[in-house]
């Protein structure tokens, strides 16, 4: 039985997508606040400890093509179910033993989160009415930011009580919630159905098929991705978004410590504004784009993104304003790119390939940000030029994204 009517709205699916969003960032971000504790307990070097946060991003880049193939063969429903189970297994393995288990669990989590990254835009395109795509996408990306904020703030207190392994394992609760919500949304039978299935809700998008003069369906031409200029531009925009996000996530606390004079603890807490404000952008951009259009909304997000590194270069003492504006931008930036992916997609297959291409390129370049920015700082001994590197990445996001958004709107017309 369908869980909505043709005129209705798939609320349970939205709940499922939101809870899945909770497991696609929070569990891997949870490592950052207790990296020192893990490093000391397992006698890890600083470079090894840094891999605990960078390995998942590398997985996003390297495994995305294989994740796309898996989603294509297994179908979106089965792939989503496997992604949830895999993140749960990775969480358990990561907390099970020594260095080997910690790294193995981290890689497992990164691999299955990659499948989730690819498949959720496909699910949204398939089952969400076109007018609500932006809102659902915003709710999904908000969930990723909210889970990051929760794990960042709560992991240290949990580690004090239960140890670092117990603290990381506690976030298995997110996986349980995601599994329950997903099973309720689509039903156990559909959740484990292998291969493409019909939309779970009649309000979903339907792929069109050409008909010849005899009324016989014709095979649809394969949609282009790499040869599509709009897709390439959105890949560059997402790369600028990812590079800026991961670079600032890694170094914003250190910048506050060295440039503003905060203690390490105060800098870590203060920098959380960058994650918290993302919810405003993720939920606000879809509403804004409905009123003024996606290109104009993209332009506003771009201006906010640019203000963060530029403000930190010119007036670092006003870091709270820049951190808030940058947080709004990073939440709105990923949301608007995902909205454009769904808008550009001609079919479910096309949505999967676009999602894989854009995210694969973006995360591949984004994974280099912490190392590159750190290397520039080591070479200069100051933060002006490293922040300037982030400014360049926000300008890439602006130029490529605005052009891609305008092209997408013209094609849609």
């Amino acid at each position: 039985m369908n869980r909505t009517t043709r005129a209705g709205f798939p609320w349970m699916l939205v709940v499922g997508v939101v809870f899945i969003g909770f497991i696609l960032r929070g569990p891997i971000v949870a490592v950052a606040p207790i990296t020192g504790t893990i490093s000391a307990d397992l006698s890890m070097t600083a470079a090894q400890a840094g891999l605990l946060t960078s390995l998942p991003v590398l997985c996003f880049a390297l495994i995305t093509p294989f994740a796309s193939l898996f989603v294509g063969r297994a179908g979106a429903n089965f792939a989503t179910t496997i992604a949830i189970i895999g993140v749960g297994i990775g969480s358990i393995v990561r907390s099970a033993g020594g260095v080997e288990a910690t790294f193995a669990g981290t890689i497992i989590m990164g691999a299955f989160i990659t499948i989730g990254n690819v498949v959720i835009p496909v699910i949204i395109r398939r089952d969400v009415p076109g007018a609500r795509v932006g809102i659902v996408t915003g709710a999904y990306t908000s969930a990723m930011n909210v889970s990051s904020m929760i794990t960042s703030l709560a992991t240290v207190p949990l580690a004090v009580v239960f140890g670092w392994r117990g603290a990381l394992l506690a976030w298995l609760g997110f996986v349980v919630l995601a599994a329950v919500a997903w099973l309720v949304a689509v039903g156990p039978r559909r959740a484990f159905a292998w291969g493409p299935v019909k939309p779970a809700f009649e309000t979903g998008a339907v792929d069109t098929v050409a008909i010849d003069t005899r009324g016989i369906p014709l095979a649809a031409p394969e949609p282009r991705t790499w040869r599509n200029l709009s897709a390439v531009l959105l890949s560059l925009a997402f790369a600028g978004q990812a590079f800026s996000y991961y670079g600032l996530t890694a170094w914003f606390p250190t910048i506050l410590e060295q440039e503003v004079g905060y203690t390490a603890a105060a800098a870590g807490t203060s920098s959380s504004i960058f994650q918290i404000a993302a919810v405003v952008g993720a939920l606000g951009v879809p509403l804004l784009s409905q009123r003024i259009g996606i290109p104009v909304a993209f332009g506003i997000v771009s201006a906010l993104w640019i203000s963060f590194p530029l403000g930190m270069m010119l007036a670092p003492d006003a870091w709270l304003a820049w951190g808030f504006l940058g947080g709004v931008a990073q939440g709105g930036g990923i949301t608007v790119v995902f909205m454009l992916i769904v808008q550009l997609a001609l079919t479910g297959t096309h949505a999967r390939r676009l999602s894989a291409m854009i995210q694969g390129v973006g995360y591949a370049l984004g994974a280099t940000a912490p190392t590159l920015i750190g290397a520039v700082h080591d070479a200069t001994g100051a933060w002006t030029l490293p922040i300037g590197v982030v400014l360049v990445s926000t300008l890439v996001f602006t130029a490529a994204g605005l052009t891609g958004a305008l092209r997408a709107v013209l094609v849609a017309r």
Side-chain angles (χ1 to χ4, degrees):
M1 178 183 295
N2 286 347
R3 291 167 172 78
T4 186
T5 64
R6 183 173 297 275
F9 186 71
W11 291 108
M12 284 311 304
L13 178 76
V14 175
V15 173
V17 166
V18 167
F19 276 107
I20 293 169
F22 267 75
I23 71 171
L24 299 185
R25 289 298 180 275
I28 58 176
V29 172
V31 171
I34 56 173
T35 298
T37 303
I38 298 173
S39 179
D41 186 54
L42 299 180
S43 300
M44 298 167 62
T45 65
Q48 289 174 324
L51 285 174
L52 294 178
T53 53
S54 61
L55 271 176
V57 186
L58 291 173
C59 287
F60 297 166
L62 298 176
I63 300 177
T64 289
F66 304 101
S68 176
L69 291 174
F70 176 71
V71 173
R73 289 183 177 275
N77 283 11
F78 188 80
T80 302
T81 304
I82 291 300
I84 296 170
I85 294 172
V87 174
I89 293 172
S91 299
I92 295 170
V93 172
R94 185 176 62 174
S95 303
V99 175
E100 295 81 4
T102 303
F103 279 109
T106 299
I107 293 172
I108 292 171
M109 290 180 68
F112 285 96
I113 287 173
T114 304
I115 296 175
N117 289 342
V118 172
V119 78
I120 291 300
V122 178
I123 293 287
I124 292 174
R125 182 199 178 275
R126 188 191 68 183
D127 287 330
V128 176
R132 303 291 184 89
V133 163
I135 298 299
V136 176
T137 303
Y140 161 62
T141 54
S142 292
M144 291 194 287
N145 289 112
V146 169
S147 66
S148 298
M149 177 188 69
I150 293 173
T151 56
S152 295
L153 295 176
T155 299
V156 172
L158 287 172
V160 172
V161 178
F162 301 107
W164 68 265
R165 290 182 178 86
L168 294 181
L169 190 61
W171 304 118
L172 186 63
F174 282 165
V175 179
V176 174
L177 290 174
V180 172
W182 175 244
L183 289 174
V184 171
V186 301
R189 183 176 178 180
R190 294 176 62 85
F192 288 94
W194 176 271
V197 297
K198 293 181 180 180
F201 305 99
E202 295 180 25
T203 49
V206 177
D207 297 339
T208 57
V209 179
I211 305 294
D212 71 5
T213 55
R214 297 169 296 172
I216 300 175
L218 299 173
E222 288 293 325
R224 297 184 298 176
T225 51
W226 287 100
R227 291 186 296 169
N228 183 295
L229 181 57
S230 295
V232 172
L233 289 169
L234 287 181
S235 298
L236 292 176
F238 194 75
Q241 160 80 20
F243 188 97
S244 302
Y245 171 75
Y246 287 107
L248 290 169
T249 296
W251 292 110
F252 190 32
T254 305
I255 293 172
L256 291 179
E257 186 178 353
Q258 297 182 3
E259 293 292 298
V260 184
Y262 282 10
T263 64
T269 302
S270 300
S271 64
S272 65
I273 187 66
F274 183 58
Q275 303 294 343
I276 296 171
V279 178
V280 177
L283 293 178
V285 163
L287 297 174
L288 191 64
S289 65
Q290 287 182 349
R291 292 180 174 273
I292 62 177
I294 290 181
V296 178
F298 204 114
I300 293 173
V301 170
S302 298
L304 296 179
W305 245 138
I306 292 169
S307 73
F308 189 2
L310 190 62
M312 289 302 297
M313 292 172 69
L314 299 177
D317 288 337
W319 64 267
L320 182 60
W322 313 132
F324 178 82
L325 295 177
V328 173
Q330 60 102 344
I334 190 172
T335 301
V336 75
V337 171
F338 281 167
M339 287 170 61
L340 287 167
I341 290 174
V342 175
Q343 181 172 314
L344 276 175
L346 303 176
T347 65
T349 299
H350 194 205
R352 168 176 59 84
R353 291 176 178 172
L354 281 173
S355 178
M357 170 188 168
I358 291 169
Q359 293 190 65
V361 171
Y363 287 125
L365 295 177
T368 68
T371 301
L372 179 59
I373 292 172
V376 174
H377 174 260
D378 289 342
T380 62
W383 282 107
T384 301
L385 193 56
I387 296 174
V389 174
V390 177
L391 177 60
V392 171
S393 72
T394 61
L395 292 173
V396 171
F397 169 82
T398 300
L402 276 176
T403 306
L406 288 169
R407 284 180 54 86
V409 169
L410 291 175
V411 169
R413 289 177 181 174

